[in-house]
Amino acid sequence: MADVLTFLFRSLVSQTGATNDYKVIPPSPAARSTLVVGDGSMSRSLLLLSAVSAASDMDMKVFFFTQTQIQKLPAPLHNCENRSPEGLKKIKFCYPRTVHELLQQVSSLQEPANMSPTAPSLIIVDGLEGYLRGAGDSSHTRSQSGELSCAAHVSSLLWDTAAFFTQVLEQRAPSLAPCRVIASFQPEVDTGQTSGEPSSPDPILDVLDRYFQVCCTLERDRSYGAVAAGLQEEVWHINLSAIREDSGPEAAVDTQSAGAQEWELLIFPDGLMEFKVV
């Protein structure tokens, strides 16, 4: 959800003394889902930071789905002296290996036996591309129709699950509603285009855009200016913009409903991060 990401960015900006504004932008009643698009390792760090920030600073229960075990936390989390251990316990890590296991585990969240007194306010799925590539074909050959069908199925299930928990939260803890969804996706690089021709968009991304309402794009700055400056830190550009505002997968795209937010992310050699508003 965009309010979780915005809270995270502003909290890391504040550490540099650039601003003391801790205000969280109130979420739109419709905008409950965000798709983080870009480099897989960078998006995973961003999702982990979002999970910890939501749990420890925003008092949210979080479900974090990923294919691979978390080996280490991003550098900004290494010093967690100011974070409550009880807050970090609100994150539940789940490791489905295939898209079928992901579908099963997400759908099981709504089963009465798995319902806890505290409903989740945030569901995170790390690396959708790992679940969707080659989905629907047991022979391990690429089936685009199977991938697109699975992308729609997963997105729809996440949408329905978030809507279910939003109703639960509105009854039990209105201040923590709605239930948000943040997922990451690394588009496949198009290598079939001849030099000078524009690359074609990833067809899976076209499907995901129909279900997610906000897009957070990550792009590393590899421009001549960045190289010429001789900076030791990595520079990334982050754009947070609305894809749609209406409350359903078939809603019309509305790119003007919410103004885009642009950020610059600096990653220093020691792994620490600093966000700047552009």
Side-chain angles (χ1 to χ4, degrees):
M1 178 60 195
D3 62 327
V4 176
L5 291 174
T6 301
F7 183 94
L8 169 65
F9 298 165
R10 292 189 175 189
S11 66
L12 290 178
V13 165
S14 68
Q15 293 176 9
T16 70
T19 179
N20 292 320
D21 184 6
Y22 291 87
K23 181 180 179 182
V24 179
I25 297 177
S28 161
R32 301 172 184 171
S33 57
T34 299
L35 183 66
V36 179
V37 179
D39 179 82
S41 59
M42 175 54 59
S43 61
R44 172 176 246 210
S45 295
L46 191 61
L47 295 188
L48 284 170
L49 287 169
S50 298
V52 173
S53 181
S56 61
D57 300 330
M58 304 175 74
D59 198 31
M60 295 181 180
K61 182 176 180 180
V62 181
F63 276 93
F64 193 109
F65 295 90
T66 182
Q67 277 185 311
T68 56
Q69 294 283 334
I70 306 297
Q71 300 297 327
K72 63 179 181 179
L73 296 175
L77 297 179
H78 291 173
N79 183 6
C80 295
E81 295 178 357
N82 61 333
R83 298 189 184 277
S84 168
E86 293 302 317
L88 298 179
K89 291 179 182 179
K90 295 181 180 179
I91 305 174
K92 170 67 175 179
F93 288 98
C94 307
Y95 297 99
R97 295 168 297 175
T98 66
V99 68
H100 301 292
E101 290 184 5
L102 175 64
L103 291 168
Q104 183 179 33
Q105 291 187 26
V106 173
S107 61
S108 70
L109 296 180
Q110 301 184 43
E111 296 178 359
N114 295 329
M115 288 288 291
S116 65
T118 306
S121 295
L122 178 60
I123 299 172
I124 294 177
V125 182
D126 169 45
L128 277 175
E129 72 282 349
Y131 292 107
L132 301 177
R133 300 294 182 207
D137 196 321
S138 59
S139 65
H140 301 288
T141 58
R142 295 295 296 272
S143 170
Q144 187 176 93
S145 61
E147 292 176 351
L148 301 183
S149 176
C150 278
H153 191 177
V154 170
S155 301
S156 180
L157 178 60
L158 289 171
W159 180 277
D160 291 341
T161 303
F164 171 80
F165 282 118
T166 293
Q167 293 182 343
V168 173
L169 288 168
E170 288 173 344
Q171 296 176 357
R172 299 180 181 177
S175 63
L176 297 177
C179 178
R180 297 93 161 151
V181 174
I182 302 178
S184 66
F185 179 78
Q186 182 171 352
E188 192 168 57
V189 177
D190 182 8
T191 58
Q193 298 289 333
T194 60
S195 179
E197 292 185 1
S199 59
S200 58
D202 191 312
I204 295 180
L205 186 58
D206 287 341
V207 174
L208 297 176
D209 281 347
R210 301 175 191 171
Y211 293 84
F212 288 85
Q213 300 148 308
V214 176
C215 182
C216 177
T217 57
L218 310 175
E219 183 177 359
R220 186 171 179 179
D221 189 343
R222 302 180 186 275
S223 65
Y224 173 79
V227 175
L231 299 177
Q232 292 185 344
E233 61 266 21
E234 295 180 14
V235 181
W236 291 77
H237 296 287
I238 301 177
N239 186 283
L240 198 62
S241 58
I243 301 174
R244 63 183 69 254
E245 185 71 11
D246 295 338
S247 56
E250 302 303 323
V253 174
D254 180 8
T255 58
Q256 303 299 323
S257 59
Q261 301 178 51
E262 295 185 31
W263 302 78
E264 186 178 81
L265 168 60
L266 301 179
I267 303 180
F268 298 92
D270 59 3
L272 294 179
M273 298 180 180
E274 175 184 317
F275 288 89
K276 294 182 179 180
V277 180
V278 177

